[in-house]
Amino acid sequence: MNQEKIIVIDFGGQYNQLVARRVRECNVYCEIYSYKKPLEEIKEMNPKGIILTGGPNSVYEEGAATCSRELFELGIPVLGLCYGAQLMMQVLGGKVEKATEREYGKTKTLIDGGKDTLFSGVPDETIVWMSHNDYISRIAPGFDVIAHTADCPVAAASCEEKKLYAIQFHPEVLHTVKGKDILFNFVRNICKTEGTWRMDSFVDETVKEIRERVGDGKVLLALSGGVDSSVLAALLAKAVGKQLTCVFVDHGLLRKNEGNEVESVFGEGGSFDVNFIRVNAAERYYAKLAGVEEPERKRKIIGEEFIRVFEEEAKKIGTVDFLAQGTIYPDVVESGLGGESAVIKSHHNVGGLPDYVDFKEIIEPLRNLFKDEVRKVGLELGLPEYLVYRQPFPGPGLGIRIIGEVTAEKVRIVQDADFIYRDEIAKAGLEKLPDQYFAALSNMRSVGVMGDERTYDYAIVLRAVETVDFMTAEASKIPFDVLQRVMSRIINEVKGVNRVLYDLTSKPPGTVEME
Protein backbone atom coordinates (compact mmCIF):
# COMPACT_ATOMS: atom_id res chain seq x y z
CA MET A 1 0.00 0.00 0.00
CA ASN A 2 1.18 3.47 -0.79
CA GLN A 3 0.84 5.31 2.49
CA GLU A 4 3.13 7.35 4.70
CA LYS A 5 5.07 5.20 7.12
CA ILE A 6 7.44 5.20 10.06
CA ILE A 7 10.21 2.59 10.13
CA VAL A 8 11.19 0.92 13.44
CA ILE A 9 14.74 -0.46 13.33
CA ASP A 10 15.03 -3.35 15.76
CA PHE A 11 18.19 -3.89 17.82
CA GLY A 12 16.76 -6.82 19.76
CA GLY A 13 14.69 -4.90 22.30
CA GLN A 14 11.77 -6.62 24.00
CA TYR A 15 9.37 -3.77 23.21
CA ASN A 16 9.90 -3.50 19.43
CA GLN A 17 6.31 -4.47 18.57
CA LEU A 18 5.00 -2.15 21.25
CA VAL A 19 6.85 0.77 19.65
CA ALA A 20 5.22 -0.02 16.30
CA ARG A 21 1.84 -0.37 17.96
CA ARG A 22 2.14 3.05 19.60
CA VAL A 23 3.01 4.61 16.24
CA ARG A 24 -0.10 3.09 14.69
CA GLU A 25 -2.17 4.53 17.53
CA CYS A 26 -1.14 7.87 16.04
CA ASN A 27 -2.90 6.67 12.84
CA VAL A 28 0.40 6.30 11.02
CA TYR A 29 1.45 3.01 9.42
CA CYS A 30 4.61 1.45 10.85
CA GLU A 31 6.82 -1.54 10.04
CA ILE A 32 9.66 -3.24 11.94
CA TYR A 33 12.97 -4.20 10.34
CA SER A 34 16.22 -5.65 11.65
CA TYR A 35 19.21 -3.33 12.03
CA LYS A 36 20.85 -5.55 9.40
CA LYS A 37 18.50 -4.31 6.68
CA PRO A 38 20.53 -2.41 4.05
CA LEU A 39 20.28 1.37 4.30
CA GLU A 40 19.52 1.62 0.57
CA GLU A 41 16.37 -0.45 1.05
CA ILE A 42 15.24 1.76 3.92
CA LYS A 43 15.80 4.84 1.77
CA GLU A 44 13.70 3.32 -1.01
CA MET A 45 10.77 3.00 1.39
CA ASN A 46 10.83 6.78 1.79
CA PRO A 47 9.84 6.75 5.49
CA LYS A 48 8.60 9.91 7.16
CA GLY A 49 10.60 9.01 10.27
CA ILE A 50 12.83 6.34 11.82
CA ILE A 51 12.78 4.95 15.37
CA LEU A 52 15.69 2.95 16.82
CA THR A 53 14.63 0.45 19.48
CA GLY A 54 16.25 -0.72 22.69
CA GLY A 55 18.52 -3.74 22.80
CA PRO A 56 20.12 -6.16 25.27
CA ASN A 57 23.77 -5.28 24.62
CA SER A 58 26.19 -2.40 25.27
CA VAL A 59 26.97 -0.23 22.26
CA TYR A 60 30.71 -0.25 23.03
CA GLU A 61 31.02 -4.06 23.06
CA GLU A 62 32.82 -5.74 20.19
CA GLY A 63 30.31 -7.03 17.68
CA ALA A 64 27.40 -5.06 19.16
CA ALA A 65 24.51 -4.20 16.85
CA THR A 66 25.16 -0.89 15.14
CA CYS A 67 24.23 1.38 12.24
CA SER A 68 26.04 3.74 9.88
CA ARG A 69 26.45 7.48 10.37
CA GLU A 70 24.64 7.95 7.06
CA LEU A 71 21.37 6.91 8.70
CA PHE A 72 21.42 10.20 10.61
CA GLU A 73 22.29 12.22 7.51
CA LEU A 74 19.28 11.29 5.36
CA GLY A 75 17.32 14.37 6.34
CA ILE A 76 14.72 12.08 7.95
CA PRO A 77 13.78 12.60 11.64
CA VAL A 78 15.26 9.87 13.87
CA LEU A 79 14.23 8.95 17.41
CA GLY A 80 16.53 6.68 19.42
CA LEU A 81 15.13 4.81 22.42
CA CYS A 82 17.36 3.41 25.20
CA TYR A 83 20.00 1.39 23.26
CA GLY A 84 18.98 3.34 20.16
CA ALA A 85 19.68 6.61 21.99
CA GLN A 86 23.10 5.44 23.14
CA LEU A 87 23.94 4.20 19.65
CA MET A 88 22.99 7.53 18.15
CA MET A 89 25.28 9.34 20.57
CA GLN A 90 28.23 6.98 20.01
CA VAL A 91 27.98 6.97 16.20
CA LEU A 92 27.76 10.77 16.10
CA GLY A 93 30.73 11.42 18.41
CA GLY A 94 29.35 11.18 21.93
CA LYS A 95 30.37 8.68 24.62
CA VAL A 96 28.59 5.84 26.39
CA GLU A 97 29.91 4.22 29.58
CA LYS A 98 28.93 1.72 32.24
CA ALA A 99 26.70 3.43 34.80
CA THR A 100 27.68 3.41 38.46
CA GLU A 101 23.98 3.31 39.36
CA ARG A 102 21.71 1.11 37.23
CA GLU A 103 18.28 2.64 36.62
CA TYR A 104 15.29 0.32 36.37
CA GLY A 105 11.58 1.00 36.79
CA LYS A 106 9.55 4.14 37.32
CA THR A 107 11.86 7.15 37.60
CA LYS A 108 11.20 10.83 38.23
CA THR A 109 12.54 12.81 35.28
CA LEU A 110 13.07 16.55 34.90
CA ILE A 111 12.47 18.14 31.49
CA ASP A 112 15.11 20.72 30.52
CA GLY A 113 14.11 21.51 26.93
CA GLY A 114 12.20 20.36 23.86
CA LYS A 115 8.99 21.84 25.23
CA ASP A 116 8.00 23.10 21.78
CA THR A 117 8.86 19.85 19.96
CA LEU A 118 9.43 16.40 21.48
CA PHE A 119 8.24 17.23 25.01
CA SER A 120 5.38 19.52 24.06
CA GLY A 121 2.61 19.09 26.64
CA VAL A 122 4.89 17.21 29.06
CA PRO A 123 5.19 18.80 32.54
CA ASP A 124 8.59 19.87 33.88
CA GLU A 125 8.57 16.84 36.18
CA THR A 126 7.22 13.49 34.98
CA ILE A 127 7.50 9.74 35.58
CA VAL A 128 9.20 7.53 32.98
CA TRP A 129 10.23 3.87 32.69
CA MET A 130 13.99 3.35 32.78
CA SER A 131 15.84 0.11 32.04
CA HIS A 132 19.58 0.52 31.44
CA ASN A 133 23.03 -0.40 32.78
CA ASP A 134 24.94 2.11 30.61
CA TYR A 135 24.55 5.85 30.33
CA ILE A 136 25.42 8.67 27.95
CA SER A 137 28.40 10.34 29.61
CA ARG A 138 28.97 12.86 26.80
CA ILE A 139 26.47 14.00 24.21
CA ALA A 140 27.43 14.20 20.54
CA PRO A 141 28.38 17.58 18.99
CA GLY A 142 25.35 19.65 18.03
CA PHE A 143 23.08 18.08 20.66
CA ASP A 144 21.53 19.64 23.77
CA VAL A 145 20.42 17.86 26.94
CA ILE A 146 16.63 18.16 27.22
CA ALA A 147 15.93 15.87 30.21
CA HIS A 148 17.76 14.36 33.19
CA THR A 149 17.19 12.31 36.34
CA ALA A 150 18.97 12.16 39.68
CA ASP A 151 21.25 9.36 38.42
CA CYS A 152 21.17 9.95 34.65
CA PRO A 153 22.60 13.28 33.41
CA VAL A 154 21.27 12.64 29.88
CA ALA A 155 17.76 11.22 30.03
CA ALA A 156 17.12 12.84 26.65
CA ALA A 157 19.08 14.90 24.10
CA SER A 158 18.18 16.54 20.80
CA CYS A 159 19.65 18.14 17.73
CA GLU A 160 16.71 20.25 16.57
CA GLU A 161 18.48 21.37 13.39
CA LYS A 162 18.70 17.77 12.07
CA LYS A 163 15.58 16.51 13.90
CA LEU A 164 17.53 13.87 15.82
CA TYR A 165 16.29 12.83 19.26
CA ALA A 166 17.77 10.44 21.83
CA ILE A 167 15.66 9.21 24.77
CA GLN A 168 17.21 7.00 27.46
CA PHE A 169 13.82 5.84 28.76
CA HIS A 170 10.96 3.87 27.14
CA PRO A 171 8.04 6.11 26.07
CA GLU A 172 6.24 3.12 24.51
CA VAL A 173 5.34 1.43 27.83
CA LEU A 174 2.34 2.57 29.85
CA HIS A 175 4.54 3.17 32.93
CA THR A 176 5.90 6.28 31.19
CA VAL A 177 3.09 8.66 32.08
CA LYS A 178 3.38 10.96 29.04
CA GLY A 179 4.89 8.36 26.71
CA LYS A 180 2.05 8.44 24.20
CA ASP A 181 2.26 12.23 24.00
CA ILE A 182 6.01 12.09 23.39
CA LEU A 183 5.63 9.56 20.57
CA PHE A 184 2.71 11.53 19.10
CA ASN A 185 4.88 14.65 19.09
CA PHE A 186 7.58 12.83 17.16
CA VAL A 187 5.36 10.90 14.76
CA ARG A 188 2.78 13.55 13.91
CA ASN A 189 4.42 16.90 14.63
CA ILE A 190 8.14 16.38 14.01
CA CYS A 191 7.77 13.86 11.16
CA LYS A 192 4.88 15.90 9.67
CA THR A 193 2.60 12.92 9.07
CA GLU A 194 -1.09 13.33 8.30
CA GLY A 195 -2.38 10.31 10.25
CA THR A 196 -4.43 8.65 7.50
CA TRP A 197 -3.95 5.02 8.61
CA ARG A 198 -7.55 3.92 9.26
CA MET A 199 -9.32 0.56 9.22
CA ASP A 200 -12.05 1.69 6.83
CA SER A 201 -9.48 2.61 4.20
CA PHE A 202 -7.64 -0.65 4.92
CA VAL A 203 -10.78 -2.69 4.17
CA ASP A 204 -11.52 -0.90 0.90
CA GLU A 205 -7.93 -1.06 -0.35
CA THR A 206 -7.44 -4.68 0.71
CA VAL A 207 -10.69 -5.90 -0.90
CA LYS A 208 -9.59 -4.23 -4.13
CA GLU A 209 -6.12 -5.79 -3.92
CA ILE A 210 -7.55 -9.27 -3.25
CA ARG A 211 -9.91 -9.06 -6.23
CA GLU A 212 -7.10 -8.00 -8.53
CA ARG A 213 -4.74 -10.71 -7.29
CA VAL A 214 -7.24 -13.59 -7.16
CA GLY A 215 -9.11 -12.82 -10.37
CA ASP A 216 -11.34 -15.84 -11.06
CA GLY A 217 -9.15 -18.18 -8.97
CA LYS A 218 -10.31 -20.35 -6.08
CA VAL A 219 -9.31 -19.57 -2.48
CA LEU A 220 -9.04 -22.08 0.36
CA LEU A 221 -9.14 -20.68 3.89
CA ALA A 222 -7.99 -22.23 7.14
CA LEU A 223 -11.02 -21.35 9.27
CA SER A 224 -10.55 -21.96 12.99
CA GLY A 225 -13.41 -19.78 14.17
CA GLY A 226 -10.99 -17.54 16.07
CA VAL A 227 -10.87 -13.78 15.64
CA ASP A 228 -8.17 -13.72 12.95
CA SER A 229 -9.60 -16.40 10.68
CA SER A 230 -13.18 -15.15 11.15
CA VAL A 231 -12.22 -11.62 10.14
CA LEU A 232 -10.26 -13.02 7.22
CA ALA A 233 -13.29 -15.08 6.14
CA ALA A 234 -15.49 -11.97 6.16
CA LEU A 235 -12.87 -9.98 4.25
CA LEU A 236 -12.46 -12.69 1.60
CA ALA A 237 -16.22 -13.22 1.37
CA LYS A 238 -16.62 -9.52 0.56
CA ALA A 239 -13.85 -9.69 -2.01
CA VAL A 240 -14.46 -12.99 -3.85
CA GLY A 241 -17.69 -14.51 -2.49
CA LYS A 242 -18.29 -18.13 -3.54
CA GLN A 243 -14.75 -18.43 -4.92
CA LEU A 244 -13.85 -18.96 -1.26
CA THR A 245 -13.98 -22.37 0.41
CA CYS A 246 -13.57 -22.43 4.19
CA VAL A 247 -12.17 -25.65 5.65
CA PHE A 248 -12.69 -25.98 9.37
CA VAL A 249 -10.33 -28.56 10.87
CA ASP A 250 -11.68 -29.78 14.18
CA HIS A 251 -8.48 -31.21 15.63
CA GLY A 252 -10.14 -32.20 18.88
CA LEU A 253 -8.19 -29.50 20.72
CA LEU A 254 -10.90 -26.84 20.76
CA ARG A 255 -12.80 -25.53 23.76
CA LYS A 256 -15.96 -27.31 24.86
CA ASN A 257 -18.75 -27.21 22.22
CA GLU A 258 -16.68 -24.84 20.07
CA GLY A 259 -16.66 -27.04 16.97
CA ASN A 260 -20.45 -26.96 16.76
CA GLU A 261 -20.51 -23.22 17.44
CA VAL A 262 -18.10 -22.57 14.56
CA GLU A 263 -20.24 -24.64 12.21
CA SER A 264 -23.42 -22.82 13.27
CA VAL A 265 -21.88 -19.45 12.36
CA PHE A 266 -20.04 -20.31 9.15
CA GLY A 267 -21.82 -23.42 7.90
CA GLU A 268 -25.14 -23.83 6.14
CA GLY A 269 -27.68 -21.32 7.41
CA GLY A 270 -24.99 -19.18 8.98
CA SER A 271 -24.06 -15.55 8.39
CA PHE A 272 -21.50 -16.12 5.63
CA ASP A 273 -22.24 -16.97 2.00
CA VAL A 274 -19.20 -19.21 1.55
CA ASN A 275 -18.46 -22.86 0.90
CA PHE A 276 -17.90 -24.56 4.27
CA ILE A 277 -16.30 -27.94 4.96
CA ARG A 278 -15.83 -29.43 8.43
CA VAL A 279 -13.15 -32.08 8.94
CA ASN A 280 -13.37 -34.07 12.19
CA ALA A 281 -9.74 -35.08 12.76
CA ALA A 282 -9.50 -35.49 16.54
CA GLU A 283 -8.39 -39.13 16.57
CA ARG A 284 -5.81 -38.43 13.87
CA TYR A 285 -4.27 -35.66 15.97
CA TYR A 286 -4.31 -37.65 19.21
CA ALA A 287 -2.43 -40.47 17.47
CA LYS A 288 0.24 -38.07 16.16
CA LEU A 289 0.67 -36.44 19.59
CA ALA A 290 0.89 -39.67 21.57
CA GLY A 291 3.97 -39.66 23.82
CA VAL A 292 5.04 -36.11 22.82
CA GLU A 293 5.66 -33.76 25.77
CA GLU A 294 7.94 -30.96 24.50
CA PRO A 295 5.84 -27.81 23.71
CA GLU A 296 7.61 -26.76 20.52
CA ARG A 297 7.43 -30.28 19.13
CA LYS A 298 3.69 -30.38 19.84
CA ARG A 299 3.24 -27.08 18.02
CA LYS A 300 5.10 -28.37 14.97
CA ILE A 301 3.19 -31.65 14.85
CA ILE A 302 -0.12 -29.82 15.06
CA GLY A 303 0.99 -27.37 12.38
CA GLU A 304 2.29 -30.05 10.02
CA GLU A 305 -0.85 -32.15 10.38
CA PHE A 306 -2.90 -29.01 9.78
CA ILE A 307 -1.20 -28.58 6.40
CA ARG A 308 -1.62 -32.27 5.52
CA VAL A 309 -5.37 -32.08 6.15
CA PHE A 310 -5.56 -29.03 3.94
CA GLU A 311 -3.70 -30.81 1.17
CA GLU A 312 -6.17 -33.66 1.28
CA GLU A 313 -9.19 -31.37 1.23
CA ALA A 314 -7.72 -29.31 -1.61
CA LYS A 315 -7.38 -32.43 -3.75
CA LYS A 316 -11.03 -33.29 -3.14
CA ILE A 317 -12.08 -29.78 -4.14
CA GLY A 318 -9.96 -29.74 -7.29
CA THR A 319 -7.77 -26.90 -8.43
CA VAL A 320 -7.08 -24.43 -5.64
CA ASP A 321 -5.12 -21.33 -6.56
CA PHE A 322 -4.66 -19.63 -3.18
CA LEU A 323 -4.31 -20.77 0.42
CA ALA A 324 -5.51 -17.96 2.69
CA GLN A 325 -4.05 -17.73 6.20
CA GLY A 326 -4.86 -15.57 9.21
CA THR A 327 -1.27 -14.50 9.85
CA ILE A 328 -1.07 -11.20 11.75
CA TYR A 329 1.91 -8.94 12.40
CA PRO A 330 3.00 -10.34 15.81
CA ASP A 331 3.15 -13.80 14.14
CA VAL A 332 5.49 -12.42 11.50
CA VAL A 333 7.81 -10.67 13.95
CA GLU A 334 7.84 -13.46 16.56
CA SER A 335 8.70 -15.98 13.85
CA GLY A 336 11.91 -14.06 13.16
CA LEU A 337 10.76 -12.68 9.80
CA GLY A 338 10.31 -9.05 10.75
CA GLY A 339 12.71 -7.72 13.32
CA GLU A 340 15.77 -8.80 15.25
CA SER A 341 14.24 -10.15 18.46
CA ALA A 342 14.53 -13.84 19.28
CA VAL A 343 11.96 -16.28 17.95
CA ILE A 344 9.49 -16.76 20.81
CA LYS A 345 7.44 -19.59 19.31
CA SER A 346 6.79 -21.23 15.97
CA HIS A 347 3.55 -20.54 14.13
CA HIS A 348 2.00 -23.05 11.79
CA ASN A 349 0.71 -20.22 9.58
CA VAL A 350 3.95 -18.33 8.98
CA GLY A 351 6.50 -19.37 6.38
CA GLY A 352 8.29 -22.70 6.35
CA LEU A 353 5.67 -24.54 4.28
CA PRO A 354 7.05 -27.68 2.62
CA ASP A 355 7.82 -27.44 -1.10
CA TYR A 356 5.20 -30.04 -1.92
CA VAL A 357 2.23 -28.17 -0.44
CA ASP A 358 -0.41 -28.35 -3.17
CA PHE A 359 -1.24 -24.64 -3.52
CA LYS A 360 0.00 -22.12 -6.06
CA GLU A 361 0.24 -19.12 -3.74
CA ILE A 362 -0.26 -18.06 -0.13
CA ILE A 363 -2.45 -15.06 0.57
CA GLU A 364 -2.25 -13.33 3.98
CA PRO A 365 -4.25 -10.06 3.90
CA LEU A 366 -3.96 -9.44 7.67
CA ARG A 367 -0.21 -9.98 8.04
CA ASN A 368 0.50 -6.27 8.62
CA LEU A 369 -2.07 -5.82 11.40
CA PHE A 370 -1.92 -6.11 15.17
CA LYS A 371 -4.72 -7.94 17.00
CA ASP A 372 -6.67 -4.84 17.99
CA GLU A 373 -6.49 -3.61 14.39
CA VAL A 374 -7.87 -6.97 13.21
CA ARG A 375 -10.81 -6.49 15.59
CA LYS A 376 -11.47 -3.04 14.12
CA VAL A 377 -11.52 -4.58 10.64
CA GLY A 378 -14.03 -7.14 11.88
CA LEU A 379 -16.37 -4.43 13.15
CA GLU A 380 -15.92 -2.48 9.91
CA LEU A 381 -17.00 -5.62 8.01
CA GLY A 382 -20.11 -5.94 10.13
CA LEU A 383 -19.15 -8.97 12.23
CA PRO A 384 -21.04 -9.22 15.54
CA GLU A 385 -19.20 -7.98 18.62
CA TYR A 386 -19.37 -11.35 20.40
CA LEU A 387 -17.30 -12.84 17.57
CA VAL A 388 -14.90 -9.92 17.20
CA TYR A 389 -14.16 -9.70 20.92
CA ARG A 390 -14.09 -13.40 21.72
CA GLN A 391 -11.24 -14.72 23.86
CA PRO A 392 -7.92 -15.21 22.05
CA PHE A 393 -7.22 -18.86 21.33
CA PRO A 394 -3.90 -20.26 20.06
CA GLY A 395 -3.71 -22.08 16.73
CA PRO A 396 -2.50 -25.32 18.38
CA GLY A 397 -5.49 -25.05 20.72
CA LEU A 398 -5.56 -26.98 23.96
CA GLY A 399 -2.44 -28.81 22.82
CA ILE A 400 -0.41 -26.06 24.48
CA ARG A 401 -2.74 -25.65 27.45
CA ILE A 402 -2.05 -29.24 28.42
CA ILE A 403 1.40 -29.55 29.95
CA GLY A 404 3.03 -32.79 28.83
CA GLU A 405 1.47 -35.48 26.66
CA VAL A 406 -1.92 -34.79 25.01
CA THR A 407 -4.60 -37.47 25.41
CA ALA A 408 -8.35 -37.54 24.84
CA GLU A 409 -8.88 -37.80 28.59
CA LYS A 410 -6.72 -34.75 29.31
CA VAL A 411 -8.55 -32.78 26.63
CA ARG A 412 -11.86 -33.67 28.28
CA ILE A 413 -10.55 -32.50 31.67
CA VAL A 414 -9.28 -29.13 30.48
CA GLN A 415 -12.37 -28.52 28.31
CA ASP A 416 -14.70 -29.06 31.27
CA ALA A 417 -12.57 -26.98 33.66
CA ASP A 418 -12.23 -24.14 31.15
CA PHE A 419 -15.98 -24.15 30.48
CA ILE A 420 -16.69 -23.79 34.21
CA TYR A 421 -14.12 -20.99 34.56
CA ARG A 422 -15.55 -19.00 31.65
CA ASP A 423 -19.10 -19.62 32.86
CA GLU A 424 -18.37 -18.25 36.34
CA ILE A 425 -16.49 -15.25 34.93
CA ALA A 426 -19.55 -14.45 32.80
CA LYS A 427 -21.98 -14.91 35.71
CA ALA A 428 -19.90 -12.46 37.76
CA GLY A 429 -20.02 -9.92 34.90
CA LEU A 430 -16.24 -9.91 34.62
CA GLU A 431 -15.82 -10.85 30.92
CA LYS A 432 -14.16 -7.52 30.11
CA LEU A 433 -11.95 -7.40 33.22
CA PRO A 434 -9.29 -9.84 31.99
CA ASP A 435 -8.14 -9.49 28.38
CA GLN A 436 -7.55 -13.23 28.28
CA TYR A 437 -8.50 -16.00 30.69
CA PHE A 438 -8.49 -19.78 30.50
CA ALA A 439 -7.85 -23.00 32.38
CA ALA A 440 -4.78 -25.12 31.68
CA LEU A 441 -3.95 -28.64 32.79
CA SER A 442 -0.64 -29.04 34.59
CA ASN A 443 1.30 -32.31 34.58
CA MET A 444 1.46 -32.17 38.37
CA ARG A 445 -0.45 -34.86 40.24
CA SER A 446 -0.86 -34.78 44.00
CA VAL A 447 -2.64 -36.54 46.82
CA GLY A 448 -6.06 -35.29 47.84
CA VAL A 449 -9.02 -36.40 49.92
CA MET A 450 -12.52 -36.59 48.43
CA GLY A 451 -15.15 -38.09 50.71
CA ASP A 452 -13.52 -40.94 52.58
CA GLU A 453 -11.07 -41.77 49.81
CA ARG A 454 -7.60 -40.57 48.97
CA THR A 455 -7.10 -39.38 45.40
CA TYR A 456 -4.06 -38.90 43.20
CA ASP A 457 -5.23 -36.48 40.50
CA TYR A 458 -4.23 -33.48 38.39
CA ALA A 459 -3.98 -29.79 39.24
CA ILE A 460 -5.81 -27.27 37.05
CA VAL A 461 -4.13 -23.87 36.65
CA LEU A 462 -6.33 -20.81 36.10
CA ARG A 463 -4.83 -17.95 34.11
CA ALA A 464 -6.21 -14.42 33.64
CA VAL A 465 -4.23 -11.43 32.37
CA GLU A 466 -4.77 -7.77 31.63
CA THR A 467 -2.89 -6.18 28.76
CA VAL A 468 -3.10 -3.47 26.14
CA ASP A 469 -1.23 -5.20 23.34
CA PHE A 470 -0.19 -8.69 24.61
CA MET A 471 3.47 -7.66 24.45
CA THR A 472 3.39 -7.20 28.22
CA ALA A 473 0.73 -8.44 30.64
CA GLU A 474 -0.15 -8.52 34.32
CA ALA A 475 -2.20 -11.11 36.20
CA SER A 476 -5.81 -10.02 36.72
CA LYS A 477 -7.11 -9.49 40.24
CA ILE A 478 -10.09 -11.83 39.97
CA PRO A 479 -12.26 -11.48 43.12
CA PHE A 480 -11.44 -14.25 45.57
CA ASP A 481 -15.07 -15.33 45.96
CA VAL A 482 -15.26 -15.91 42.18
CA LEU A 483 -12.09 -18.00 42.27
CA GLN A 484 -13.54 -19.96 45.19
CA ARG A 485 -16.69 -20.78 43.19
CA VAL A 486 -14.62 -21.81 40.18
CA MET A 487 -12.44 -24.03 42.36
CA SER A 488 -15.41 -25.65 44.04
CA ARG A 489 -17.19 -26.41 40.79
CA ILE A 490 -14.08 -27.80 39.08
CA ILE A 491 -13.25 -30.08 42.01
CA ASN A 492 -16.84 -31.33 42.21
CA GLU A 493 -17.72 -31.53 38.52
CA VAL A 494 -14.50 -32.45 36.70
CA LYS A 495 -13.37 -36.00 37.22
CA GLY A 496 -9.58 -36.35 37.52
CA VAL A 497 -8.89 -33.01 39.27
CA ASN A 498 -8.31 -32.50 42.99
CA ARG A 499 -6.45 -29.19 43.08
CA VAL A 500 -6.93 -25.72 41.49
CA LEU A 501 -4.15 -23.09 41.29
CA TYR A 502 -4.13 -19.45 40.12
CA ASP A 503 -1.17 -18.20 38.04
CA LEU A 504 0.13 -14.77 39.16
CA THR A 505 3.03 -14.58 36.66
CA SER A 506 3.34 -11.44 34.53
CA LYS A 507 4.71 -11.20 30.98
CA PRO A 508 7.68 -10.92 31.01
CA PRO A 509 9.11 -13.12 32.50
CA GLY A 510 6.33 -15.56 31.61
CA THR A 511 4.18 -15.78 28.49
CA VAL A 512 0.41 -15.45 28.36
CA GLU A 513 -0.02 -19.13 27.51
CA MET A 514 0.92 -21.90 29.93
CA GLU A 515 2.96 -24.31 27.76
Side-chain angles (χ1 to χ4, degrees), residues 5-9 39 42 47-52 71 74 76-80 186 191:
K5 69 173 67 174
I6 300 292
I7 295 297
V8 171
I9 298 181
L39 185 61
I42 292 176
K48 300 286 284 187
I50 296 171
I51 299 177
L52 313 182
L71 177 70
L74 298 175
I76 299 171
V78 181
L79 173 65
F186 177 75
C191 295

Side-chain angles (χ1 to χ4, degrees), residues 68-76 78 92 162 164:
S68 69
R69 186 183 184 93
E70 187 182 355
L71 177 70
F72 306 106
E73 298 172 345
L74 298 175
I76 299 171
V78 181
L92 295 178
K162 296 183 177 180
L164 303 178

Side-chain angles (χ1 to χ4, degrees), residues 87-328:
L87 183 61
M88 180 187 293
M89 290 296 98
Q90 176 167 285
V91 170
L92 295 178
K95 189 174 182 180
V96 177
E97 297 181 81
K98 193 78 171 178
T100 55
E101 294 289 336
R102 177 177 184 258
E103 278 190 314
Y104 183 81
K106 294 180 180 180
T107 306
K108 183 172 72 174
T109 300
L110 302 176
I111 306 301
D112 304 311
K115 300 289 287 185
D116 57 344
T117 54
L118 191 64
F119 292 143
S120 177
V122 179
D124 293 340
E125 184 177 301
T126 187
I127 298 297
V128 306
W129 184 262
M130 288 284 190
S131 179
H132 63 100
N133 292 314
D134 299 327
Y135 80 109
I136 300 166
S137 59
R138 186 181 70 240
I139 58 175
F143 281 79
D144 296 306
V145 175
I146 57 174
H148 72 280
T149 73
D151 295 316
C152 183
V154 186
S158 70
C159 177
E160 294 291 349
E161 179 186 356
K162 296 183 177 180
K163 298 190 184 311
L164 303 178
Y165 304 87
I167 299 179
Q168 183 60 74
F169 55 87
H170 290 275
E172 68 273 22
V173 301
L174 294 179
H175 303 303
T176 296
V177 176
K178 289 292 184 176
K180 287 186 178 181
D181 294 337
I182 294 169
L183 288 172
F184 185 92
N185 288 336
F186 177 75
V187 171
R188 294 293 294 275
N189 300 332
I190 293 172
C191 295
K192 305 297 183 185
T193 55
E194 296 180 8
T196 55
W197 171 244
R198 299 282 198 285
M199 289 304 101
D200 53 355
S201 59
F202 172 86
V203 170
D204 293 339
E205 291 179 23
T206 304
V207 165
K208 181 180 178 182
E209 288 177 4
I210 292 171
R211 285 174 180 164
E212 291 176 353
R213 182 177 176 188
V214 171
D216 58 359
K218 292 183 179 179
V219 183
L220 182 62
L221 167 63
L223 178 60
S224 69
V227 176
D228 302 336
S229 67
S230 297
V231 171
L232 180 55
L235 189 64
L236 290 169
K238 182 173 182 178
V240 299
K242 282 288 190 177
Q243 292 168 242
L244 170 65
T245 297
C246 296
V247 175
F248 168 51
V249 180
D250 186 348
H251 47 31
L253 301 170
L254 298 171
R255 287 167 289 201
K256 189 171 184 177
N257 302 327
E258 196 163 44
N260 293 335
E261 291 172 359
V262 171
E263 185 168 5
S264 70
V265 173
F266 296 101
E268 187 175 351
S271 306
F272 296 86
D273 187 24
V274 297
N275 302 307
F276 178 84
I277 297 171
R278 178 174 179 174
V279 183
N280 295 308
E283 295 306 318
R284 177 172 172 170
Y285 272 84
Y286 295 160
K288 289 281 186 179
L289 291 167
V292 179
E293 298 186 0
E294 201 274 316
E296 189 68 6
R297 182 63 188 141
K298 286 194 290 185
R299 280 182 175 273
K300 289 180 178 177
I301 288 173
I302 294 169
E304 288 167 4
E305 198 64 17
F306 189 76
I307 293 297
R308 300 287 80 75
V309 173
F310 267 162
E311 285 180 323
E312 294 167 11
E313 293 306 316
K315 290 173 182 175
K316 294 176 186 177
I317 295 167
T319 302
V320 176
D321 302 287
F322 298 91
L323 171 64
Q325 297 186 145
T327 309
I328 64 175

Side-chain angles (χ1 to χ4, degrees), residues 338-444:
E340 185 60 27
S341 298
V343 175
I344 298 171
K345 57 189 175 184
S346 64
H347 296 265
H348 67 261
N349 59 343
V350 181
L353 293 174
D355 294 336
Y356 52 86
V357 171
D358 198 14
F359 309 103
K360 293 181 181 178
E361 292 185 52
I362 303 294
I363 184 170
E364 300 171 311
L366 305 178
R367 70 178 286 119
N368 291 325
L369 301 186
F370 286 94
K371 177 70 77 173
D372 57 331
E373 292 171 326
V374 173
R375 295 187 197 279
K376 290 178 183 177
V377 169
L379 294 175
E380 182 68 26
L381 289 165
L383 288 174
E385 285 196 11
Y386 77 85
L387 187 60
V388 172
Y389 289 105
R390 71 183 302 174
Q391 280 285 298
F393 193 62
L398 299 179
I400 59 171
R401 291 182 181 174
I402 295 173
I403 310 302
E405 181 185 14
V406 175
T407 66
E409 175 66 5
K410 287 183 176 180
V411 170
R412 191 268 309 164
I413 290 173
V414 76
Q415 281 181 335
D416 289 347
D418 184 73
F419 182 83
I420 290 170
Y421 187 27
R422 288 186 289 126
D423 184 49
E424 289 297 330
I425 289 287
K427 287 179 180 177
L430 299 174
E431 300 104 309
K432 293 188 177 181
L433 174 62
D435 293 288
Q436 186 168 344
Y437 52 96
F438 58 88
L441 180 63
S442 74
N443 59 357
M444 182 186 86

Side-chain angles (χ1 to χ4, degrees), residues 398 400-403 413-415 417-419 421-422 436-445 458-465 475 483 486-487 490-491 494 496-505 511-515:
L398 299 179
I400 59 171
R401 291 182 181 174
I402 295 173
I403 310 302
I413 290 173
V414 76
Q415 281 181 335
D418 184 73
F419 182 83
Y421 187 27
R422 288 186 289 126
Q436 186 168 344
Y437 52 96
F438 58 88
L441 180 63
S442 74
N443 59 357
M444 182 186 86
R445 301 184 75 179
Y458 287 104
I460 282 287
V461 181
L462 305 178
R463 180 78 160 139
V465 299
L483 292 176
V486 174
M487 177 275 297
I490 289 176
I491 295 295
V494 183
V497 177
N498 66 0
R499 197 174 295 271
V500 177
L501 313 174
Y502 188 69
D503 184 358
L504 292 173
T505 314
T511 59
V512 171
E513 291 294 339
M514 289 289 302
E515 59 185 316

